[in-house]
Amino acid sequence: MTVTPPSLLGESPAFLATLTHVSRVAPLERPVLVIGERGTGKELIAARLHYLSQRWDRPFVKVNCAALPESLLDSELFGHEAGAFTGATRRQIGRIEQADGGTLFLDEIATASPAVQEKLLRAVEYGEIERVGGRTATVDVRVVGATNADLPALAAAGRFRADLLDRLAFDVVTLPPLRARPDDIPPLAEHFAHGMVRELQRPLFPGFTDDALDRLRGHDWPGNVRELRNAVERSVAAADPDEPLDHIVLDPFESPWRPAAAPTARTEAARPEAASPQAKAPAPASTFDGGILDQVRAFEASILRDALERNRFNQRQTAEALGLGYHQLRGMLKKHGLIPPAHLRP
C-alpha cells in the first residue's frame, strides 16, 4: 500500500523553507513541536511529519487537548481499567496505546493540565503510561505537539512543565502566517474555488476579477488559510456562476442593517454631508408607493444615488460616507443597478 503525505499548496520562500524543515526532521525518531497561528495548517504538518517518517504505515492518532476536561482527557489519553470510576465497566485502551508504533498528534497541547503533563512527560521520556486505575503499560510512540501559545513564556510563568517542554522541543517547526506568504494567496484561492465549484456541481469556475484578487491580497487574514478557504467558498456559493467572481464575502455578518460603530468626531467631520449643510437628504420612505418591501428597496436606492452624487461618483468616498466597506457598497450598487457609467467611475 502506497501512502502519500497530505498535499500542501504554496510556493512562497517562507512556505518552501517550512516544508524543507519538515522533510529534514520527519525521519528522526524524536518529538516535534509545531507552532503556528490558528488556521495555518498545524495538523497537516503533523500528518506530513508522520507520513514522511519510518512510521508511515503505523497509526496516526489525533487528540485535541482543548476539547476535553482534565478527567476525560486523562482517560482518553491513557485509558482506564474496569471499575476505575463510576461507569467504567470495562477496560478502555487510551489514544497513546492506540498510537503504539506510530505517531500521536496532541493539538492545543498548552491547554493540558499539570497532572496530564506529568503523565505525558513519563510517556515521552520512558515510554511508560499508567491507565486510570493503576495498570502500567509500555508504548513506542512519537509525539508531535501543536499550539499557537508561547510555550517558553508559559513555562517561565509556571503554567507549563519546563521539563516536558525540553523533551517535546527536540525540534520546533514554526509555520508562517498567510500574510507572510502573499504570493500563495491567489493559487490557494483558485484551489478552494475549484473545489467549491465541484461540490456545487457547476461546469466551471469563471475566475476572479482583478478587484477580487486585490481584495484577497489586501486582507490580513487573521484566520490564515482556514479563513481564506471559508471566504472563497462562501463567495463562490453566493456568486453568479456565469460571471467572474467579483465580490469577496470576508465577513459573513456584514449587512447594511448591522448596527454601525458610533462615529468619532473626526470621522463625522470628514463626512461630505457634514461639511455641506445644504446636502440633499434622501426622500422619506412615506413618499414611495407600494408595499413595505418595495418602499425599503426604493429608499435604499435613493440613499445610494444621493450619496454617489454628493461624492461625485467616487465609490470609495461614498462607501466611507455611508459607513460601508468598498465591496459591500459595490454589491449594493449592483443590486440596484446603480454602477455608474464607465466615464464617471473613479
Side-chain angles (χ1 to χ4, degrees), residues 20-346:
T20 299
H21 186 179
V22 170
S23 297
R24 177 179 59 79
V25 74
L28 306 178
E29 294 287 314
R30 293 292 187 276
V32 179
L33 279 175
V34 181
I35 309 297
E37 298 177 6
R38 62 185 174 93
T40 48
K42 296 185 287 294
E43 183 174 328
L44 291 175
I45 291 295
R48 193 172 184 85
L49 285 166
H50 172 73
Y51 289 111
L52 291 178
S53 75
Q54 297 300 313
R55 299 170 180 259
W56 63 269
D57 58 345
R58 304 296 295 164
F60 175 60
V61 178
K62 299 172 282 187
V63 179
N64 186 336
C65 298
L68 298 169
E70 177 184 349
S71 59
L72 291 180
L73 179 61
D74 192 334
S75 177
E76 188 74 14
L77 285 173
F78 302 99
H80 61 254
E81 298 292 341
F85 50 83
T86 303
T89 58
R90 58 186 177 84
R91 173 188 290 179
Q92 174 178 302
I93 302 300
R95 297 292 188 92
I96 296 179
E97 284 187 85
Q98 293 173 26
D100 192 19
T103 302
L104 175 69
F105 173 54
L106 297 175
D107 198 7
E108 304 290 354
I109 193 171
T111 64
S113 70
V116 170
Q117 290 178 37
E118 184 175 359
K119 295 180 73 171
L120 277 173
L121 175 61
R122 190 164 187 83
V124 174
E125 186 80 37
Y126 302 110
E128 291 184 356
I129 62 168
E130 184 176 314
R131 300 191 191 109
V132 178
R135 187 67 60 89
T136 299
T138 301
V139 292
D140 171 22
V141 172
R142 184 191 195 183
V143 175
V144 176
T147 183
N148 60 5
D150 186 340
L151 286 181
L154 292 179
R159 294 165 54 195
F160 194 86
R161 288 189 67 108
D163 45 4
L164 177 59
L165 178 59
D166 290 341
R167 290 296 295 146
L168 292 175
F170 172 81
D171 208 330
V172 178
V173 177
T174 302
L175 305 187
L178 189 56
R179 61 184 174 276
R181 36 187 293 220
D183 292 344
D184 290 339
I185 291 175
L188 282 168
E190 286 277 351
H191 174 73
F192 296 141
H194 283 283
M196 191 62 182
V197 163
R198 287 193 297 271
E199 182 178 332
L200 296 171
Q201 298 183 342
R202 295 177 182 174
L204 56 86
F205 174 58
F208 295 96
T209 65
D210 290 341
D211 279 351
L213 287 174
D214 288 345
R215 175 79 158 158
L216 291 170
R217 292 190 189 98
H219 189 57
D220 61 358
W221 302 111
N224 293 289
V225 178
R226 184 185 298 122
E227 182 187 2
L228 173 65
R229 177 173 184 166
N230 286 339
V232 169
E233 289 182 345
R234 78 167 66 96
S235 300
V236 169
D240 184 335
D242 299 322
E243 296 290 336
L245 179 57
D246 181 60
H247 180 52
I248 304 297
V249 186
L250 291 175
D251 181 3
F253 295 97
E254 191 174 76
S255 167
W257 316 121
R258 183 180 179 182
T264 63
R266 180 177 178 181
T267 59
E268 191 65 31
R271 290 178 180 271
E273 58 267 36
S276 176
Q278 289 77 31
K280 181 183 176 184
S286 60
T287 65
F288 298 106
D289 296 327
I292 186 170
L293 294 181
D294 292 336
Q295 292 188 39
V296 169
R297 282 191 290 268
F299 186 44
E300 187 178 84
S302 175
I303 293 173
L304 293 169
R305 278 194 297 268
D306 292 337
L308 282 169
E309 292 173 3
R310 289 198 301 274
N311 290 280
R312 299 181 180 179
F313 295 93
N314 184 305
Q315 294 177 28
R316 294 194 182 276
Q317 290 182 12
T318 301
E320 183 179 349
L322 293 174
L324 299 172
Y326 172 71
H327 290 271
Q328 185 181 8
L329 174 69
R330 291 276 301 177
M332 295 178 70
L333 292 177
K334 287 183 178 180
K335 170 185 171 183
H336 292 286
L338 295 176
I339 296 295
H343 69 283
L344 291 178
R345 295 180 190 176

